[in-house]
Amino acid sequence: MAGFQVDEIVTSLQQVRREWREGQQRAQEGGERELPSRDVMADVVESLTGALFPMRLGPTDLRQESEDFYVAHTLDAALHHLFAQATLELRHERRRTAAELAELSADAQQRVRAFAEALPGIRRLLDTDVMAAFHGDPAARSVDEVLLCYPGVLAMIHHRMAHQLYKLGLTLLARIVAERAHAQTGIDIHPGAQIGAGFFIDHGTGVVIGETAVIGERVRLYQAVTLGAKRFPIDSDGHPKKGLPRHPVLEDEVVIYAGATILGRVTIGKGATIGGNVWVTQDVPAGCSVTQALSRELARDMAAPAK
Amino acid sequence: MAGFQVDEIVTSLQQVRREWREGQQRAQEGGERELPSRDVMADVVESLTGALFPMRLGPTDLRQESEDFYVAHTLDAALHHLFAQATLELRHERRRTAAELAELSADAQQRVRAFAEALPGIRRLLDTDVMAAFHGDPAARSVDEVLLCYPGVLAMIHHRMAHQLYKLGLTLLARIVAERAHAQTGIDIHPGAQIGAGFFIDHGTGVVIGETAVIGERVRLYQAVTLGAKRFPIDSDGHPKKGLPRHPVLEDEVVIYAGATILGRVTIGKGATIGGNVWVTQDVPAGCSVTQALSRELARDMAAPAK
Amino acid sequence: MAGFQVDEIVTSLQQVRREWREGQQRAQEGGERELPSRDVMADVVESLTGALFPMRLGPTDLRQESEDFYVAHTLDAALHHLFAQATLELRHERRRTAAELAELSADAQQRVRAFAEALPGIRRLLDTDVMAAFHGDPAARSVDEVLLCYPGVLAMIHHRMAHQLYKLGLTLLARIVAERAHAQTGIDIHPGAQIGAGFFIDHGTGVVIGETAVIGERVRLYQAVTLGAKRFPIDSDGHPKKGLPRHPVLEDEVVIYAGATILGRVTIGKGATIGGNVWVTQDVPAGCSVTQALSRELARDMAAPAK
Amino acid sequence: MAGFQVDEIVTSLQQVRREWREGQQRAQEGGERELPSRDVMADVVESLTGALFPMRLGPTDLRQESEDFYVAHTLDAALHHLFAQATLELRHERRRTAAELAELSADAQQRVRAFAEALPGIRRLLDTDVMAAFHGDPAARSVDEVLLCYPGVLAMIHHRMAHQLYKLGLTLLARIVAERAHAQTGIDIHPGAQIGAGFFIDHGTGVVIGETAVIGERVRLYQAVTLGAKRFPIDSDGHPKKGLPRHPVLEDEVVIYAGATILGRVTIGKGATIGGNVWVTQDVPAGCSVTQALSRELARDMAAPAK
Amino acid sequence: MAGFQVDEIVTSLQQVRREWREGQQRAQEGGERELPSRDVMADVVESLTGALFPMRLGPTDLRQESEDFYVAHTLDAALHHLFAQATLELRHERRRTAAELAELSADAQQRVRAFAEALPGIRRLLDTDVMAAFHGDPAARSVDEVLLCYPGVLAMIHHRMAHQLYKLGLTLLARIVAERAHAQTGIDIHPGAQIGAGFFIDHGTGVVIGETAVIGERVRLYQAVTLGAKRFPIDSDGHPKKGLPRHPVLEDEVVIYAGATILGRVTIGKGATIGGNVWVTQDVPAGCSVTQALSRELARDMAAPAK
Amino acid sequence: MAGFQVDEIVTSLQQVRREWREGQQRAQEGGERELPSRDVMADVVESLTGALFPMRLGPTDLRQESEDFYVAHTLDAALHHLFAQATLELRHERRRTAAELAELSADAQQRVRAFAEALPGIRRLLDTDVMAAFHGDPAARSVDEVLLCYPGVLAMIHHRMAHQLYKLGLTLLARIVAERAHAQTGIDIHPGAQIGAGFFIDHGTGVVIGETAVIGERVRLYQAVTLGAKRFPIDSDGHPKKGLPRHPVLEDEVVIYAGATILGRVTIGKGATIGGNVWVTQDVPAGCSVTQALSRELARDMAAPAK
């Protein structure tokens, strides 16, 4: 058997990589891989999850007597791995060489330290999320079942960590964490989204929450809800402008049923309810219920300019 | 480098855990972890899947001559692991200590034995599901492709086991099994749902089937179909009442196209067809086809009281 | 403890398998497993992904100096594993015995060789997909973030390989690859779908693209978009006819917003925009924007015959 | 291919096992495996070694700041695994059923607790062993090299733990630990042997130290040294009597060169030196040097009765 | 950093390999690796060990009720792996190409079948070895301790299988099995050696038993005993002649103490005892005890011609 | 159950570690582990072994067509891991902090580069070792069996690499490599020993070759041979002086039979033969055969001063 003429394919692939690098103006780069690693970040998230909920999501042979030891050792190791990844991200972002690495180190360390200090607050918020799921779902039998089984809770464990990384400027690490939750749960929350206490997503598959969304306390969402952008302002190069507020604001105690779509920087007032499959592109007053019939009215002026 | 002051964070996390346990009135608990394990249940499901379909989903070095040996050994080991998990669930549910474990053992064993006896029936049902997929999808080329590749079939392998656990009162184990399928396929079937033979879900992402749903024989569903609850009766504490029939009944040979939403304890009559993206909250007579135009009529009185 | 009477269950399971095999007219088969393996194909895809993007998705200890060595060795090994799987598929499809294996070998080798030669072109197309994602999403910060984190890009890496396998007649391998992407991203692209350069799927959960869909260049899709079949012609046995063109054609630069459903062999003209949640079953002219109001008109005659 | 007629072989093997069990009068036993596990004990030893020397033999990502956390958590987990193994040994030894397990538990726990309390003393002794190796070998370059590389030190880490288990009556666990060292180093020290501080074995392959040997402080041994029994008193059944003192006593600062053999309950006096390949079966006075010529005299009366 | 100029070293290594192949007259070979694998054989031995002693050396979660299932499935899989390795050995030995593989298959299968049929007899012999160790060592506390911990028993489990492979002409596989035992125990038994029932090696490190040695029943050996060849007849090319009887014969109930060396085709008569470190190159009559003094006489004529 | 009072033991262990560090005058150290890793070095050796003998000791799925690619990629990765370990050793030896690491880097790189350049020569020497084993052992059936199975060859693969590291001043890495061979084969060759081409050790268990030994070409050794030091000159602190020539010199074609002991800086002349168990402490002229009787004469003056 004559094999597969790998040589020619290797040469062709080399040529394609060269074109890509030239197109990206990276012709001169070399040496080691400089990107953070998804696998390392997956381990970091696993470890931090164990440190946050040691007796329920930590190792099965853990005993309550040595909870603090486990938490301390796990935390210390996870934070140092996170520190290395943070340094890689800063270096990649600023195109520094390995030699200049030291100068990024203090910066990375300060960010990871701030992240660490936020962890007790994150645990406290997650406890409110667990309670919200338990009270919000008639099928839930115990708070432990909720923590072990609910994809919405798994997504929030990831999001509350990812959001902290995002606020500290480690946006690539944040995104890696968020996409890990997305792959496991079908829930796609951008790490930039701000979400208050007692948040509950039921079922969750197909939920999308955009970067600049702001969500109050005790909000409840069902599967396939979109909190998206209506349209993007375009910059002078014809590309979408980055960073502008363009996703909805949900005030406290809002409920949004499955498949509803809310687009643009609109505000859904306190305690409002959005029915299933409803399409909303305007503000909704506090306490109001929107159903499909009503939403057709609200949707009218969005349809118009699109022609 | 000065490290990350892990001590203070550990103390804060300890304080948050204490608050949680006090809030949950578990201040006095201690000792070992008492929850079932998702990892062990994943292994149990893997083993049982291999025992159900040895030559196609079992180990690649299995030969037909030793099929029964493999099935017997795998089954015996898997059932004993399941027995241990069942004991953990019963103990957790009834808040027994390790010392009282023995008295739960006979109970757990009896349930696992009943589960084991149901396995041949489960295999028989799954064979009808595989045939339904093969006949229902013009893209399907062989029954083996269907068993190997179709997420709907993977979801049903999990569900038919999870439903059996649910009927035997092992609801936490059932839920763990169901969420494993949800994470892999995006299909979220509550283990309580009753589903007849020859069931086929095509594509599947975003399908949600609620706890008290009842589905007849030869029913077909497409992606993003919801069989949900309309609204929950509230008990005197303001929490949703648990356990009431609140999801749809689908009679034999119903077909529901992608994105349709059926809410509440309504009945879709034998052979009825629900069109894509349709919203249904009323009974649909046997043999009837519902499309968006028609559904708008049906939806009217749901919209009314919501104003 | 008396154990679980595994013997009886084993006998019952044996009986069910025998019935299945008789129903499938495979009573005489025996010997070794003859199906391709999902695990091996997962490894093949992992290796090929590393060979396509060595410094970003390859091993973390890879250095640019030895990129070509890594690519060559990885490629050679992956192609030989693929060759073995291709041989298994051909043998399974044609029901040959192990003894006749040799005669399939040349056929399998020729197909894998053609696959290998297509890889540089696949990498080139994927580079256009990455650029499309970077320019299409205001939240994207760098092309590397896009390659590392975007589920739409992960889905396309799988699809462009799966489509090549499909074109070479290795449809079962192609399907295994496609379902791997589906499980990880919630994006379900049939390997038969033809997709041009610069394709971008944002968020992606719930996207379904059918077997005979044809997509032009620089097309953009959002989550939960369906490019499906309207209804299947039925053959004389009452089963759907296989292989007919039955999914949409999207011309260059079409944009389709979240939740839109396009069914049947319709053509969406160059540069057209389909709004969120819109339902389309007719051709849409080039440059046209379709929103819900407008779609209601277009949908009218589909609704009519369904009554 | 007709396979391998496994059925008949299985039946024959079953028959042999039945004969064995009848011969051992264990015909009625059943249920689960009741022996301790070599794999679990290997993990316990690994963990305890890390807890004893965290920065040098613990995990590579450990940092000095969290040394105590690591030690505490590792110790707690390892001791609980050891406790389970100790319970298995006691149950096996006393032929108790699973139901009577609880009554052995307090006994096992007390032994493991005593073992744990001995660990600091064990570490202290091992530090003296490391120093002895460093000073005793002209090829040793640092104390860290000694701890990392010297098989004699590895053997002593195992022995000092195994001896503690032996003293606590957990002789099977002790033996498992000792054989692990034997397999890795070729040094076979029975866990019963009593060995003082500052003990150094150079090279080590082939060293054998018997159960009732007593070794003082600062003793040095080279490869292939045997401290064995001369002959065993026989009991009334014709089997060797167990437990009698039958191996040598080495007083402080004895040196024994490679290949020397010392047999029986003889005493080698303080500071004596035994030359290479020498055969000794009589007491050697303190400070004396024995070489081959001299040993021939000493050996004379051993040779005589053997005729 | 400029890297390591791997290219030049690769070229040099290629050159050395070419020289080697030319020297071995294998210039034209190519394609896949054709040697058996040590890793696969290690797994085969592990599996067969579990099948021989299921409740003591098999998986820890095995239960006695499903012993036979485990044995049957494990045996079937292990024998098929062994069959593949046997085919590789035959092909390598006879320098056949992959295409001619089929013709070796029947031959390999027949040998593996004969091996399988020998397994019950092997187990029976190993039971006698375990009993011999238990009765022969005053430190042994139970037959289970012996099976779990004694390196001599581990060596015999390997040898009795290796010897069977050797007798069936699979000498390379036999050697791989033997060296696995050697690496773990320091006991080096050539697979050709014939060893009777009830054989016990105590401690074992350094024992060497040559290819043509013949050992009777109930023989006992201690560490560092050599049963070797005295000198090799040289063939006309100046290389040692292969296959001639050149190692000792030990009749029933012989005991050989540590460090004794017995060289050449001599016979040690029934019940004879050879003392520690003794050097023997002549026949020893039945019932006789040889010690160092006596051995000097026996050794005289060996020393003479060496002058 | 009250647990194991881990706190107190942790505190005691901390105290013992503090004493050790004070004794070693390392009180102020902190931060990360600074020692090379045995596990990493094991991987490096595995990789280099595969790169030296790709088709026989490399991965089983390697094909001859891509041999060079595999060699190049493996070599590049292994050398970079070795480089990191070399840097750790230099840093540890010179007690540099992490900040000063850069300055050691060029030094480490230069040493690893020299090591890499020596690899083709090492392969060439190993080929001579393989041939020597094949011709020297009447039981050897093929050169491939020798490479796959002979512990003496495995030991030399390690030694020839370790010796190169030793010559480049990386003595700790060299020692780690040497001890890996010792653990697997029972052959203990100090990395400092100089060994010529065509070296063969048969059986090997218990062989010890000291740091300053010098061995010519085509030398053959059997098991349990010691090439050791007679006595160590003592420095003014009472510790043995390091680095002096103190082990034997073996000229070309020397043969040393099992159990022989040669001590001190003596020379065994070309073609001399040392019999089994012989003890030599004086020069042996070329071509001479030494047996036990003769050795007793030679040993006389060693015995004398020892009295």
Side-chain angles (χ1 to χ4, degrees), chain E residues 273-294:
Chain E
T273 300
I274 310 296
N277 280 8
V278 164
W279 178 276
V280 177
T281 59
Q282 287 188 327
D283 289 354
V284 171
C288 187
S289 273
V290 182
T291 60
Q292 284 203 305
L294 189 55

Side-chain angles (χ1 to χ4, degrees), chain D residues 83 86 90 94 102-112 168:
Chain D
F83 167 58
L90 294 180
R94 301 176 191 171
E103 91 191 57
L104 299 173
S105 190
D107 188 358
Q109 193 184 24
Q110 188 181 329
R111 293 175 199 226
V112 173
L168 293 162

Side-chain angles (χ1 to χ4, degrees), chain E residues 147-158:
Chain E
L147 189 61
L148 234 68
C149 299
Y150 276 51
V153 171
L154 184 63
M156 287 310 292
I157 292 174
H158 283 76

Side-chain angles (χ1 to χ4, degrees), chain D residues 126-299:
Chain D
L126 288 169
D127 283 345
T128 68
D129 297 334
V130 168
M131 291 311 296
F134 178 64
H135 289 312
D137 180 10
R141 276 168 176 76
S142 77
V143 287
D144 296 327
E145 179 191 358
V146 164
L147 189 61
L148 233 68
C149 300
Y150 276 51
V153 170
L154 185 63
M156 288 310 293
I157 292 174
H158 284 76
H159 175 68
R160 297 208 182 276
M161 291 198 263
H163 181 58
Q164 197 62 36
L165 293 170
Y166 177 92
K167 287 202 293 183
L168 293 162
L170 298 167
T171 53
L172 180 51
L173 299 188
R175 187 68 188 253
I176 290 173
V177 172
E179 279 304 327
R180 187 168 186 268
H182 187 190
Q184 287 181 69
T185 65
I187 298 170
D188 181 355
I189 311 178
H190 194 286
Q194 301 168 49
I195 303 181
F199 184 61
F200 173 41
I201 302 172
D202 203 4
H203 308 300
T205 313
V207 164
V208 175
I209 300 177
E211 183 176 14
T212 64
V214 180
I215 297 178
E217 306 207 334
R218 294 172 300 287
V219 169
R220 186 156 23 117
L221 256 59
Y222 290 83
Q223 68 270 23
V225 163
T226 296
L227 307 181
K230 205 160 83 182
R231 71 179 59 82
F232 316 139
I234 300 293
D235 66 17
S236 54
D237 294 341
H239 295 156
K241 279 193 194 163
K242 310 214 164 189
L244 299 179
R246 60 193 183 279
H247 301 98
V249 175
L250 274 51
E251 295 183 350
D252 296 350
E253 283 152 28
V254 163
V255 178
I256 306 184
Y257 287 103
T261 301
I262 306 177
L263 298 182
R265 192 54 165 195
V266 301
T267 297
I268 311 300
K270 181 171 180 176
T273 300
I274 308 296
N277 279 8
V278 164
W279 179 277
V280 177
T281 59
Q282 287 187 327
D283 288 354
V284 171
C288 187
S289 273
V290 182
T291 61
Q292 285 203 306
L294 189 55
S295 97
R296 229 162 283 141
E297 309 296 316
L298 292 166

Side-chain angles (χ1 to χ4, degrees), chain F residues 179-202:
Chain F
E179 279 305 326
R180 187 168 186 268
H182 187 191
Q184 287 182 69
T185 65
I187 298 171
D188 181 356
I189 310 177
H190 193 284
Q194 301 167 47
I195 303 180
F199 184 62
F200 174 41
I201 302 173
D202 203 3

